[in-house]
Amino acid sequence: AIGIPEGATDAAGAPIPDKSGFRTPLPKYLLDRMFFYGDSWEKNFATALATARAQKKPLIVDLWAKWCIQCRVMDKTILKEAAVVAELRRFVKVKLDVTIYDAAQDAIQKQHGIFGPPSFVFYDSQGNWLKDQTIHGKVDSSQTFLQILQQVK
């Protein structure tokens, strides 16, 4: 277990207390090496969904956890591929950290039929959930992920 980054919030925007037992959370420079936060990834689902609807952009929700090995692998490989990064620019993006239980995030998981990370949920530019395009589990290649992204309009 590792500490919670200072200033971390849950899906509703409330501060997440560090219950890991560590007195000091890991510094941001170490977390940035361990986990991909990317540019302009929201951390609040409701805010991201409202932004996507207002801007008429598709939304991608990345459900991840610090203990999720496949999440880290995809963050370091697939989500850093140039073509994927370029395609993601047309999305509003949100990363939901489910490392520690949070009732609001649990509700989001149940609403979307997700059991745990890694998972990706998509909404179209009209704000409609694209249930059939939900990804449960790891994605094997950046090409596969890119094709999925390109289908979201």
Side-chain angles (χ1 to χ4, degrees):
I2 61 174
I4 303 301
E6 188 172 324
T9 59
D10 64 18
I16 299 174
D18 185 356
K19 297 180 182 178
S20 67
F22 289 94
R23 295 190 191 279
T24 306
L26 287 176
K28 184 174 179 349
Y29 75 91
L30 284 177
L31 287 169
D32 287 345
R33 288 188 175 109
M34 294 170 64
F35 310 106
F36 176 69
Y37 290 105
D39 63 358
S40 68
W41 283 81
E42 287 280 339
K43 293 181 180 140
N44 182 288
F45 174 73
T47 301
L49 184 57
T51 300
R53 286 180 171 155
Q55 295 179 3
K56 303 252 187 268
K57 289 184 169 185
L59 172 72
I60 180 173
V61 181
D62 178 1
L63 187 91
W64 69 285
K66 293 178 178 124
W67 46 259
C68 173
I69 302 299
Q70 289 304 322
C71 297
R72 289 191 275 173
V73 169
M74 289 173 32
D75 281 350
K76 296 288 186 187
T77 58
I78 292 171
L79 292 176
K80 285 192 175 183
E81 289 283 333
V84 170
V85 170
E87 187 66 21
L88 282 170
R89 287 192 183 114
R90 66 184 184 86
F91 285 78
V92 171
K93 304 173 291 288
V94 62
K95 277 190 167 289
L96 295 182
D97 181 357
V98 297
T99 302
I100 295 177
Y101 176 82
D102 173 89
Q105 289 179 352
D106 188 52
I108 292 167
Q109 289 182 72
K110 286 179 181 172
Q111 172 188 352
H112 295 94
I114 295 172
F115 297 102
S119 295
F120 293 90
V121 174
F122 298 95
Y123 281 74
D124 66 18
S125 58
Q126 303 302 309
N128 302 307
W129 172 36
L130 303 174
K131 182 178 182 179
D132 293 338
Q133 290 178 303
T134 299
I135 299 171
H136 302 276
K138 70 176 184 160
V139 178
D140 292 324
S141 74
S142 58
Q143 188 60 37
T144 299
F145 194 67
L146 184 60
Q147 289 172 349
I148 295 166
L149 292 175
Q150 291 168 339
Q151 291 173 9
V152 179
K153 300 297 178 194

